Short mmCIF file of all heavy atoms in Angstrom, two decimals:
data_model
loop_
_atom_site.label_atom_id
_atom_site.label_comp_id
_atom_site.label_asym_id
_atom_site.label_seq_id
_atom_site.Cartn_x
_atom_site.Cartn_y
_atom_site.Cartn_z
N LYS A 61 100.59 77.97 63.99
CA LYS A 61 99.47 77.89 65.00
C LYS A 61 99.21 79.32 65.45
O LYS A 61 100.15 80.13 65.75
CB LYS A 61 99.94 77.10 66.20
CG LYS A 61 99.90 75.61 65.92
CD LYS A 61 99.96 74.77 67.20
CE LYS A 61 101.18 75.09 67.97
NZ LYS A 61 101.26 74.25 69.22
N THR A 62 97.92 79.67 65.63
CA THR A 62 97.57 80.97 66.06
C THR A 62 98.11 81.29 67.46
O THR A 62 98.63 82.36 67.74
CB THR A 62 96.03 81.12 66.10
OG1 THR A 62 95.51 80.89 64.75
CG2 THR A 62 95.63 82.57 66.42
N TYR A 63 97.94 80.33 68.36
CA TYR A 63 98.42 80.50 69.74
C TYR A 63 99.42 79.40 70.07
O TYR A 63 99.11 78.17 69.93
CB TYR A 63 97.25 80.48 70.74
CG TYR A 63 96.27 81.60 70.51
CD1 TYR A 63 95.08 81.38 69.82
CD2 TYR A 63 96.54 82.89 70.92
CE1 TYR A 63 94.21 82.39 69.61
CE2 TYR A 63 95.70 83.95 70.71
CZ TYR A 63 94.48 83.68 70.06
OH TYR A 63 93.61 84.68 69.82
N ALA A 64 100.62 79.75 70.51
CA ALA A 64 101.66 78.77 70.79
C ALA A 64 101.79 78.44 72.30
O ALA A 64 102.26 77.37 72.65
CB ALA A 64 103.03 79.28 70.31
N SER A 65 101.28 79.33 73.15
CA SER A 65 101.36 79.11 74.59
C SER A 65 100.21 79.76 75.28
O SER A 65 99.56 80.71 74.77
CB SER A 65 102.63 79.65 75.14
OG SER A 65 102.81 80.97 74.91
N ALA A 66 99.93 79.30 76.51
CA ALA A 66 98.80 79.78 77.24
C ALA A 66 99.23 81.09 78.05
O ALA A 66 100.29 81.12 78.65
CB ALA A 66 98.35 78.82 78.28
N PRO A 67 98.42 82.16 77.98
CA PRO A 67 98.70 83.39 78.71
C PRO A 67 98.45 83.18 80.19
O PRO A 67 97.82 82.21 80.60
CB PRO A 67 97.77 84.42 78.06
CG PRO A 67 96.62 83.56 77.66
CD PRO A 67 97.14 82.21 77.24
N SER A 68 98.79 84.18 81.03
CA SER A 68 98.53 84.12 82.43
C SER A 68 96.98 84.30 82.72
O SER A 68 96.49 85.39 82.47
CB SER A 68 99.30 85.22 83.15
OG SER A 68 98.88 85.31 84.48
N PRO A 69 96.30 83.34 83.18
CA PRO A 69 94.92 83.48 83.45
C PRO A 69 94.60 84.44 84.64
O PRO A 69 93.53 85.04 84.68
CB PRO A 69 94.45 82.02 83.83
CG PRO A 69 95.66 81.37 84.35
CD PRO A 69 96.82 81.98 83.61
N CYS A 70 95.53 84.59 85.56
CA CYS A 70 95.33 85.50 86.69
C CYS A 70 95.35 86.97 86.28
O CYS A 70 94.91 87.81 86.99
CB CYS A 70 96.35 85.25 87.76
SG CYS A 70 96.19 83.62 88.62
N ASP A 71 95.90 87.23 85.06
CA ASP A 71 95.91 88.59 84.53
C ASP A 71 94.80 88.82 83.51
O ASP A 71 94.80 89.87 82.83
CB ASP A 71 97.25 88.85 83.91
CG ASP A 71 98.41 88.80 84.86
OD1 ASP A 71 98.19 89.15 86.08
OD2 ASP A 71 99.53 88.44 84.48
N SER A 72 93.92 87.85 83.33
CA SER A 72 92.93 87.92 82.29
C SER A 72 91.67 88.69 82.61
O SER A 72 90.96 89.15 81.76
CB SER A 72 92.54 86.50 81.85
OG SER A 72 91.88 85.83 82.93
N LEU A 73 91.46 88.93 83.91
CA LEU A 73 90.29 89.67 84.34
C LEU A 73 90.65 90.94 85.04
O LEU A 73 91.68 91.01 85.81
CB LEU A 73 89.41 88.84 85.35
CG LEU A 73 88.92 87.46 84.80
CD1 LEU A 73 88.01 86.84 85.85
CD2 LEU A 73 88.18 87.67 83.45
N GLY A 74 89.84 92.02 84.87
CA GLY A 74 90.11 93.23 85.58
C GLY A 74 89.72 93.22 87.05
O GLY A 74 88.83 92.35 87.40
N SER A 75 90.26 93.97 87.88
CA SER A 75 90.02 93.98 89.32
C SER A 75 88.51 94.27 89.61
O SER A 75 87.95 93.75 90.54
CB SER A 75 90.90 94.90 90.10
OG SER A 75 90.77 96.25 89.59
N LYS A 76 87.92 95.14 88.76
CA LYS A 76 86.54 95.52 88.93
C LYS A 76 85.64 94.28 88.75
O LYS A 76 84.68 94.12 89.55
CB LYS A 76 86.12 96.61 87.92
CG LYS A 76 84.73 97.15 88.10
CD LYS A 76 84.42 98.28 87.13
CE LYS A 76 83.02 98.80 87.33
NZ LYS A 76 82.77 99.93 86.32
N THR A 77 85.91 93.50 87.74
CA THR A 77 85.15 92.31 87.46
C THR A 77 85.23 91.32 88.62
O THR A 77 84.34 90.68 89.09
CB THR A 77 85.60 91.67 86.13
OG1 THR A 77 85.32 92.61 85.13
CG2 THR A 77 84.80 90.37 85.89
N ILE A 78 86.48 91.09 89.06
CA ILE A 78 86.74 90.14 90.15
C ILE A 78 86.01 90.54 91.43
O ILE A 78 85.41 89.75 92.11
CB ILE A 78 88.24 90.04 90.42
CG1 ILE A 78 88.94 89.44 89.19
CG2 ILE A 78 88.56 89.16 91.69
CD1 ILE A 78 90.50 89.51 89.26
N LYS A 79 86.07 91.83 91.73
CA LYS A 79 85.39 92.33 92.96
C LYS A 79 83.90 92.18 92.83
O LYS A 79 83.18 91.91 93.86
CB LYS A 79 85.78 93.76 93.22
CG LYS A 79 87.20 93.94 93.64
CD LYS A 79 87.54 95.44 93.85
CE LYS A 79 89.01 95.66 94.25
NZ LYS A 79 89.37 97.07 94.36
N ALA A 80 83.35 92.34 91.62
CA ALA A 80 81.95 92.21 91.45
C ALA A 80 81.45 90.75 91.54
O ALA A 80 80.41 90.45 92.10
CB ALA A 80 81.49 92.82 90.11
N LEU A 81 82.24 89.87 90.95
CA LEU A 81 81.82 88.43 90.90
C LEU A 81 82.24 87.68 92.18
O LEU A 81 81.48 86.76 92.57
CB LEU A 81 82.50 87.78 89.68
CG LEU A 81 82.08 88.32 88.32
CD1 LEU A 81 82.74 87.47 87.19
CD2 LEU A 81 80.54 88.22 88.10
N VAL A 82 83.34 88.04 92.78
CA VAL A 82 83.79 87.34 93.95
C VAL A 82 84.19 88.36 95.03
O VAL A 82 85.38 88.60 95.27
CB VAL A 82 85.04 86.45 93.68
CG1 VAL A 82 85.29 85.51 94.80
CG2 VAL A 82 84.85 85.66 92.39
#
Side-chain angles (χ1 to χ4, degrees):
K61 286 195 303 184
T62 303
Y63 299 100
S65 60
S68 170
C70 291
D71 296 329
S72 64
L73 303 183
S75 58
K76 185 177 179 180
T77 297
I78 296 169
K79 290 177 181 178
L81 297 181
V82 193

